[in-house]
Amino acid sequence: GGGNGTALSLLVKAFPWIRGINFDLPHVVAVAPKSGSIENVGGDMFMSIPNADAAFLMWILHDWDDEECIKILKKCREAIPEDKGKVIIVEAVLEEDKEDDELGFVGLMLDMAMMAHTDKGKERTLKEWSYVLRQSGFTRFTVNPIRAVQSVIEAYP
């Protein structure tokens, strides 16, 4: 789900020692800009994901229901090394107690956008993220809130 590689190119620019693989459907990466430190690879994330030290998924998993999300995460799990690999997910983590959530209305807006965008996707709470990650074979994960609607979730084998 790397699209035209914009997010990955920003990461590689900020951390020039890494090499990136922009992975998306073949027709999408066919028109992605070429870069010396980014390889554009076409494929289907439900079939396989290129091997890497880390998989980076930003605004991808909320497009899918739990079953499909677990399939994608299992493919990510297969693609990373057992000893040092991780999956980095940038997605919203909704508060379960809406009354204490200052940004609860944003979660509602995100859910409404998902209803218009897809018939299967959804935003997830921490409990729901824990479920899909554990079902995908990840033994531990951390959630790091950032100064945005999204959080950074790091999942480890």
Side-chain angles (χ1 to χ4, degrees):
N4 65 8
T6 300
L8 183 57
S9 65
L10 290 171
L11 286 171
V12 169
K13 185 176 180 180
F15 304 99
W17 58 88
I18 66 171
R19 187 178 77 75
I21 301 170
N22 180 37
F23 182 70
D24 208 316
L25 295 170
H27 72 276
V28 175
V29 296
V31 296
K34 307 287 187 245
S35 168
S37 54
I38 297 174
E39 178 185 2
N40 293 311
V41 176
D44 180 343
M45 65 186 167
F46 289 102
M47 302 301 290
S48 69
I49 292 177
N51 290 339
D53 290 334
F56 177 74
L57 301 140
M58 187 168 97
W59 287 126
I60 302 296
L61 298 173
H62 72 158
D63 287 345
W64 306 98
D65 65 19
D66 287 352
E67 183 180 316
E68 291 166 319
C69 184
I70 291 166
K71 285 180 186 177
I72 295 166
L73 286 168
K74 282 183 176 181
K75 292 301 177 187
C76 290
R77 173 80 173 73
E78 292 171 8
I80 61 172
E82 183 74 31
D83 59 339
K84 61 178 180 168
K86 68 177 167 180
V87 175
I88 304 162
I89 303 163
V90 180
E91 294 273 1
V93 179
L94 301 180
E95 295 289 329
E96 292 186 46
D97 183 5
K98 302 278 189 206
E99 290 179 22
D100 293 337
D101 184 8
E102 293 175 4
L103 297 176
F105 69 94
V106 175
L108 176 61
M109 288 179 10
L110 288 171
D111 272 341
M112 291 178 69
M114 290 310 301
M115 287 172 53
H117 175 69
T118 177
D119 61 344
K120 292 185 175 185
K122 66 178 187 175
E123 303 300 341
R124 291 178 171 86
T125 64
L126 180 59
K127 185 176 179 181
E128 291 168 321
W129 279 115
S130 179
Y131 171 77
V132 296
L133 290 165
R134 301 259 183 243
Q135 291 298 308
S136 304
F138 292 94
T139 59
R140 62 188 176 91
F141 67 93
T142 60
V143 177
N144 303 297
I146 57 176
R147 297 183 69 160
V149 172
Q150 310 94 315
S151 291
V152 177
I153 303 167
E154 295 176 282
Y156 304 91

